[in-house]
Amino acid sequence: DQQVKQNSPSLSVQEGRISILNCDYTNSMFDYFLWYKKYPAEGPTFLISISSIKDKNEDGRFTVFLNKSAKHLSLHIVPSQPGDSAVYFCAASADNAGNMLTFGGGTRLMVKP
Amino acid sequence: KAGVTQTPRYLIKTRGQQVTLSCSPISGHRSVSWYQQTPGQGLQFLFEYFSETQRNKGNFPGRFSGRQFSNSRSEMNVSTLELGDSALYLCASSQRQGAATGELFFGEGSRLTVL
């Protein structure tokens, strides 16, 4: 039973356009959400996070939106750059779960020049 | 500041053998978590150690075990290896427990192939 799902295994966008990566979750106990980026042969690196008490968090070109009622979050990258090409993982955590993250399956983003 | 260091980076074992993987967290980080990444299952939580105590454990059989030393370095062990244990094993460190208190810093992983 996948508690965190990323239904799009891949996404291709043109440089300069917006990239929107989506993530759905089922566990109502999740109250903190994170996005990680992973390049081949490297470990995931933290990108941005959001607490369940917020519905939006911005950091430069990256914005994460959270819709608690729909149990859905999305990552917007504007404008997209070729260097953003990587696999993006959505992850969720419950307050009493320490550093135990539940990850989605990942979305491979390809930004074409 | 040095990142999370995992050794070995690559290893090949045969079924039935055991393996020990090592992780040195970022200096000052007291929490170490382990994750398994496979093409079919994605990233799955194995266990977390904080101050030498296992704080959380994922849904893996008892063949998977770990420990943390007083200097926060951690090891994980897999006994009686099976073909399905072939995966990238990732270690992540954090200053404190609780994802909301800070993100995890991942190492590059140890890629285990079981033949």
Side-chain angles (χ1 to χ4, degrees):
Chain A
D1 175 33
Q2 273 190 299
Q3 297 186 61
V4 178
K5 284 185 183 179
Q6 294 176 253
N7 290 317
S8 298
S10 65
L11 174 68
S12 181
V13 299
Q14 206 66 37
E15 181 179 5
R17 305 295 291 268
I18 184 172
S19 295
I20 301 176
L21 295 93
N22 294 304
C23 178
D24 297 294
Y25 64 97
T26 57
N27 190 338
S28 300
M29 299 302 292
F30 289 146
D31 58 2
Y32 199 74
F33 305 90
L34 309 92
W35 285 92
Y36 282 83
K37 179 169 72 172
K38 187 179 187 299
Y39 294 116
E42 294 183 12
T45 55
F46 171 75
L47 201 54
I48 192 170
S49 62
I50 188 166
S51 164
S52 59
I53 63 173
K54 294 185 174 182
D55 55 18
K56 178 182 172 181
N57 188 29
E58 271 184 275
D59 185 1
R61 298 186 296 115
F62 302 90
T63 303
V64 56
F65 296 91
L66 175 62
N67 183 332
K68 282 181 61 180
S69 60
K71 292 189 175 68
H72 176 84
L73 63 155
S74 60
L75 174 68
H76 293 209
I77 306 174
V78 183
S80 301
Q81 300 173 353
D84 296 329
S85 297
V87 177
Y88 289 78
F89 291 96
C90 165
S93 173
D95 183 52
N96 62 350
N99 282 324
M100 181 173 74
L101 299 182
T102 301
F103 282 86
T107 296
R108 182 177 301 278
L109 173 66
M110 292 164 284
V111 180
K112 298 178 181 177
Chain B
K1 197 174 188 181
V4 178
T5 305
Q6 291 188 246
T7 56
R9 290 292 312 280
Y10 303 91
L11 66 166
I12 299 174
K13 293 284 188 178
T14 56
R15 278 181 299 175
Q17 287 187 310
Q18 72 155 11
V19 66
T20 299
L21 308 177
S22 179
C23 172
S24 294
I26 291 172
S27 178
H29 284 194
R30 296 168 62 193
S31 169
V32 173
S33 306
W34 289 89
Y35 288 82
Q36 180 197 63
Q37 185 181 18
T38 59
Q41 299 295 322
L43 273 157
Q44 290 189 293
F45 174 80
L46 279 156
F47 24 65
E48 178 193 3
Y49 288 88
F50 184 84
S51 295
E52 301 178 66
T53 302
Q54 187 179 91
R55 301 292 176 145
N56 286 293
K57 191 176 193 308
N59 190 24
F60 278 83
R63 300 186 296 108
F64 292 80
S65 63
R67 58 178 175 168
Q68 186 180 34
F69 303 95
S70 58
N71 61 358
S72 294
R73 191 177 71 85
S74 176
E75 288 181 348
M76 68 162 282
N77 184 276
V78 188
S79 62
T80 320
L81 284 167
E82 301 176 359
L83 295 179
D85 298 332
S86 295
L88 180 67
Y89 290 88
L90 290 160
C91 169
S93 76
S94 176
Q95 283 186 315
R96 294 175 292 276
Q97 273 199 299
T101 64
E103 69 273 16
L104 301 183
F105 294 84
F106 282 86
E108 293 180 318
S110 292
R111 183 164 295 282
L112 170 65
T113 300
V114 182
L115 302 176

